[in-house]
Amino acid sequence: MADNLPSEFDVVVIGTGLPESIIAAACARSGQRVLHVDSKNYYGGNWASFSFSGLLSWIKENQQNTDISDECEDWRKLILENEEVISLSKKDKTIQHVEDFCFGDQDSAENVEEAGALLKLPAFGASDADRVAQESEKECTPVENTLAEVESQEPEKATGTEPASTVEGNDPEITSESESSHDAALGESTPETGSAPSESSAQGPKKITYAQIVREGRRFNIDLVSKLLYSRGLLIDLLIKSNVSRYAEFKNATRILAFQEGKVEQVPCSRADVFNSRQLTMVEKRMLMKFLTFCLDYEQHPEEYQDYENSTFAQFLRTRKLTPSLQHFILHSIAMVSETDCSTLEGLQATKKFLQCLGRYGNTPFLFPLYGQGEIPQCFCRLCAVFGGIYCLRHSVQCLVVDKESERCKAIVDHFGQRISANYFIVEDSYLSESTCTNVCYRRISRAVLITDQSVLNTDAEQQVSILTVPPEDVGKPAVCIIELCSSTMTCMKETYLVHLTCPSTKTAREDLEPVVQKLFDLNEEKETENEELEKPRVLWAVYFNMRDSSGVEKKSYDGLPSNVYVCSGPDSALGNDCAVKQAETIFHKMFPAEEFCPPPPNPEDIIYDEDEIAPEESGFSNSPETKPESSTEESNSGDSTAVKKEDNEE
């Protein structure tokens, strides 16, 4: 049990979000003794992914916002005279204004059981029973040196309570859109192709009921934060360098969309897309290609933009002889920047980054992790566990213990009353008390998640991962980023789509995002009208919530934190993950300036064992995909990372 934890570590990490998980993995990889704890019963914090029933439990908890009980009343006896404490918060206040809506008949789902779930316990309510059933089936023990392994690769596994990435033998691939063999390999039947789309389109979209969503709830993996991975971004580079990519699989974002004059249309990105586009005239194609070519090496031509360095990117575009349609595409769908706040240089940098990411893994710059964004923190947790990190979920920390003389943090006291010493402490922002955060000014993110019955832009190919930016109607308001996921991403059931909406908050999430939802989707419960309403996807279920954005907060803003305590922020509103990776690397180098950040793991063939060691005791390394990088037929994992590196060399 947790009271048998060692009393000394090198690093204690509180919170299992993405930055904390990366730091924990980097520390364990460099030989540090790591304890990684989380007061929640799932990995990821605000970066987590949930099954549908798991998300309903999360919604209920945040609407009630109850305190975590204090199991140890006399922990203050452990504090010495020359020590003081920094109490940690027992209530997560990062989520606000949670509102969920069902646009179907909820009564029909009253007695529906979730497929694959254990029997409900009579002593608990429905949501509690679901959580207990999932925990008993999936969750890790409170103290462990490695993450628990899932016994079978079930397509309907619940990732809301346990790292889905802990499946042994689930070989990772950075897949392209056409590589759909993974679906069949994991028990999910292959997405309908060929004649299926024509049949379904002839019959019209099949009506999905709320009861079906509940029954197939374990097929959903719903992210609290919606992001994509730039194919040449910092996170992809880190996944490849550290070989953490072997713990996950990825799918290409297949298309970039634009919302213009009340219509959704596809944006041509690559050279082939531009010249195959029927939306653009021949003159527009030449204009667009000329401008994109300039953006790729704009630093070599400062005379082209130096007169506009103090102007916005939108103003600069107007001087480039581009049509209004092309300006809209570049501003909102390629650079994806604000029309009023983005400078010319920032816009050119964003456009160049987009173009440089094209072609690495597909026709768009983005990848999405199968089973959701919540997989990524769990992958780094697994790397930490492989190198000896100890993990404890449902393990809250009462306080940090600070030495008055040195003003350094010496230890933590957990909810069992155990005192654990360490040299460095990493704390996620949500664990800090109000008194510590008095001078901190937080931003907020508005989020919405919709389950819909069809895509915002129907084409012959049903399995599309789309990104759409809806520009604001009023000047000064933020644009809304929409990511639409299909069932082949393993985030929703068949014949449904999972739609994520994100923008920086100005009001409550519903007030910020519902106008955009009404433009693009049909919110009527019964779809009997013909005409235009048939063109809009029908919303089956929706949730709105505001999430704290603690990115960009400087450490000096926190009151009274010792020098060896570092704070990690929660998710930001940006599309990529660069902020989390930069933060993790910065904190790691402050603690261990002489160590390499997440170096590649050793090749098992290069490990020298003592005579008394037995080969099978390699445990963490015995199934490493790096065994023979050249022979990718034996280990598809190796082919993944090697292919990426080769591609880089070729370019």
Side-chain angles (χ1 to χ4, degrees), residues 160-235:
T161 56
E162 189 265 344
S165 57
T166 57
V167 182
E168 291 289 355
N170 185 6
D171 292 343
E173 298 174 357
I174 299 183
T175 59
S176 65
E177 178 192 0
S178 60
E179 293 173 351
S180 58
S181 60
H182 166 78
D183 302 339
L186 291 181
E188 180 82 66
S189 57
T190 307
E192 296 178 6
T193 53
S195 61
S198 60
E199 291 175 11
S200 63
S201 59
Q203 297 171 1
K206 184 179 177 182
K207 186 172 180 179
I208 304 294
T209 64
Y210 183 70
Q212 286 176 278
I213 294 174
V214 172
R215 186 180 298 110
E216 299 294 322
R218 289 167 69 87
R219 294 196 184 270
F220 288 89
N221 288 289
I222 304 171
D223 296 328
L224 294 184
V225 59
S226 177
K227 290 182 177 289
L228 294 173
L229 284 72
Y230 279 92
S231 65
R232 294 191 191 278
L234 296 179
L235 184 54

Side-chain angles (χ1 to χ4, degrees), residues 86-216:
I86 299 175
S87 296
L88 297 184
S89 175
K90 298 179 182 64
K91 182 186 287 187
D92 186 347
K93 297 183 178 179
T94 59
I95 305 296
Q96 292 180 334
H97 310 300
V98 183
E99 302 177 75
D100 60 313
F101 302 90
C102 177
F103 297 92
D105 183 10
Q106 278 185 287
D107 294 336
S108 64
E110 233 176 75
N111 299 316
V112 174
E113 296 287 338
E114 185 179 69
L118 297 181
L119 294 176
K120 294 181 180 179
L121 303 178
F124 293 81
S127 62
D128 291 331
D130 286 342
R131 194 182 324 131
V132 170
Q134 290 178 19
E135 286 171 19
S136 61
E137 181 182 13
K138 291 284 193 179
E139 188 155 53
C140 303
T141 54
V143 181
E144 56 190 355
N145 285 333
T146 57
L147 302 179
E149 297 178 7
V150 181
E151 291 182 358
S152 62
Q153 296 176 343
E154 296 178 341
E156 58 271 351
K157 62 184 177 178
T159 59
T161 56
E162 189 265 344
S165 57
T166 57
V167 182
E168 291 289 355
N170 185 6
D171 292 343
E173 298 174 357
I174 299 183
T175 59
S176 65
E177 178 192 0
S178 60
E179 293 173 351
S180 58
S181 60
H182 166 78
D183 302 339
L186 291 181
E188 180 82 66
S189 57
T190 307
E192 296 178 6
T193 53
S195 61
S198 60
E199 291 175 11
S200 63
S201 59
Q203 297 171 1
K206 184 179 177 182
K207 186 172 180 179
I208 304 294
T209 64
Y210 183 70
Q212 286 176 278
I213 294 174
V214 172
R215 186 180 298 110
E216 299 294 322

Side-chain angles (χ1 to χ4, degrees), residues 389-625:
I390 294 179
Y391 277 82
C392 303
L393 294 183
R394 293 173 294 178
H395 197 100
S396 58
V397 176
Q398 300 287 356
C399 66
L400 305 175
V401 181
V402 181
D403 182 74
K404 289 181 180 178
E405 292 181 11
S406 64
E407 296 184 344
R408 287 177 64 85
C409 186
K410 297 169 62 178
I412 61 169
V413 177
D414 66 13
H415 67 313
F416 288 112
Q418 182 179 2
R419 179 172 170 140
I420 300 170
S421 302
N423 298 324
Y424 298 99
F425 301 84
I426 314 297
V427 184
E428 202 270 326
D429 173 88
S430 65
Y431 286 86
L432 297 175
S433 64
E434 288 185 5
S435 59
T436 305
C437 303
T438 305
N439 301 320
V440 179
C441 184
Y442 292 114
R443 298 185 297 268
R444 295 207 168 270
I445 304 167
S446 290
R447 289 275 294 115
V449 181
L450 316 176
I451 299 174
T452 65
D453 65 347
Q454 57 179 310
S455 175
V456 290
L457 182 62
N458 282 320
T459 59
D460 292 338
E462 290 184 353
Q463 297 299 313
Q464 299 274 13
V465 178
S466 312
I467 175 169
L468 165 65
T469 302
V470 179
E473 286 188 351
D474 302 325
V475 177
K477 292 285 186 70
V480 176
C481 178
I482 300 176
I483 296 175
E484 183 185 71
L485 305 172
C486 59
S487 60
S488 64
T489 61
M490 307 298 176
T491 58
C492 57
M493 60 180 279
K494 283 185 178 181
E495 298 175 340
T496 65
Y497 287 82
L498 196 63
V499 183
H500 292 273
L501 295 89
T502 308
C503 75
S505 297
T506 58
K507 301 176 183 177
T508 68
R510 188 180 176 191
E511 290 172 318
D512 283 339
L513 299 174
E514 195 170 51
V516 175
V517 173
Q518 290 171 341
K519 282 181 189 176
L520 295 170
F521 302 95
D522 177 19
L523 297 176
N524 295 323
E525 292 191 17
E526 294 299 328
K527 192 179 202 177
E528 296 177 355
T529 56
E530 307 291 335
N531 310 326
E532 302 141 59
E533 290 301 323
L534 282 174
E535 297 176 6
K536 290 185 177 181
R538 186 166 66 94
V539 178
L540 308 172
W541 183 86
V543 63
Y544 298 89
F545 59 92
N546 290 94
M547 178 184 289
R548 179 191 291 177
D549 178 1
S550 53
S551 63
V553 177
E554 295 184 7
K555 185 180 176 181
K556 63 183 180 183
S557 301
Y558 298 102
D559 188 29
L561 282 186
S563 59
N564 62 333
V565 175
Y566 299 93
V567 181
C568 287
S569 65
D572 62 350
S573 59
L575 180 62
N577 299 274
D578 284 4
C579 180
V581 178
K582 284 178 183 175
Q583 185 180 53
E585 186 168 7
T586 300
I587 291 174
F588 176 81
H589 284 309
K590 283 180 180 177
M591 295 188 294
F592 308 108
E595 297 287 345
E596 184 181 356
F597 180 63
C598 281
N603 191 322
E605 292 184 346
D606 297 334
I607 299 174
I608 300 174
Y609 296 97
D610 295 333
E611 292 181 2
D612 56 343
E613 285 190 293
I614 304 173
E617 290 180 2
E618 297 172 46
S619 68
F621 306 106
S622 57
N623 293 324
S624 172

Side-chain angles (χ1 to χ4, degrees), residues 210-279:
Y210 183 70
Q212 286 176 278
I213 294 174
V214 172
R215 186 180 298 110
E216 299 294 322
R218 289 167 69 87
R219 294 196 184 270
F220 288 89
N221 288 289
I222 304 171
D223 296 328
L224 294 184
V225 59
S226 177
K227 290 182 177 289
L228 294 173
L229 284 72
Y230 279 92
S231 65
R232 294 191 191 278
L234 296 179
L235 184 54
I236 285 290
D237 291 343
L238 182 62
L239 288 167
I240 294 169
K241 174 189 172 185
S242 61
N243 208 13
V244 170
S245 59
R246 59 184 167 164
Y247 297 135
E249 294 186 85
F250 301 86
K251 184 177 177 67
N252 289 112
T254 53
R255 58 185 183 178
I256 312 291
L257 304 179
F259 184 76
Q260 193 175 17
E261 297 177 355
K263 292 183 180 179
V264 177
E265 51 190 356
Q266 188 163 345
V267 176
C269 301
S270 64
R271 182 184 294 270
D273 287 343
V274 170
F275 286 108
N276 290 331
S277 173
R278 296 181 181 179
Q279 305 161 240

